[in-house]
Amino acid sequence: MFKSFFMSDKASEALTAKFIEELTKLRKERGISHEKLAEKTGLSRSTISFTESGRTVPTILTCVRIAKALGVRIGDLFNKFDK
């Protein structure tokens, strides 16, 4: 019954890949290293690295911190989801 509310593994993987692509693009466009982004967010460098490499799924709070540090709205990290 609840299955229809959840994404398939393939859909989840596709959304994660788009998020990672956008995060990496925005970070590189701004010339910000993993270490500098970690400093700006208050997160560890490994959290930034693991998030960007897809080894961990970020919490909403982590996404908010990253967006703020990159100077974008949180929605901008997810803007490719509709495309």
Side-chain angles (χ1 to χ4, degrees), residues 47-69:
T47 296
I48 299 299
S49 178
F50 287 0
T51 298
E52 199 169 293
S53 68
R55 288 187 273 177
T56 188
V57 177
T59 65
I60 292 172
L61 180 56
T62 296
C63 292
V64 168
R65 288 172 149 183
I66 289 171
K68 186 175 179 180

Side-chain angles (χ1 to χ4, degrees), residues 23 26-49 52 65-71:
L23 168 58
L26 290 169
R27 181 183 61 76
K28 288 182 177 180
E29 282 177 354
R30 286 156 176 72
I32 299 173
S33 67
H34 286 164
E35 187 171 304
K36 186 65 176 177
L37 187 55
E39 289 174 19
K40 292 178 89 167
T41 59
L43 301 167
S44 69
R45 191 198 63 72
S46 62
T47 296
I48 299 299
S49 178
E52 199 169 293
R65 288 172 149 183
I66 289 171
K68 186 175 179 180
L70 292 174

Side-chain angles (χ1 to χ4, degrees), residues 1-15:
M1 178 170 170
F2 293 108
K3 188 170 184 164
S4 64
F5 291 107
F6 298 102
M7 285 186 240
S8 70
D9 286 342
K10 287 185 180 187
S12 179
E13 287 175 15
L15 291 176

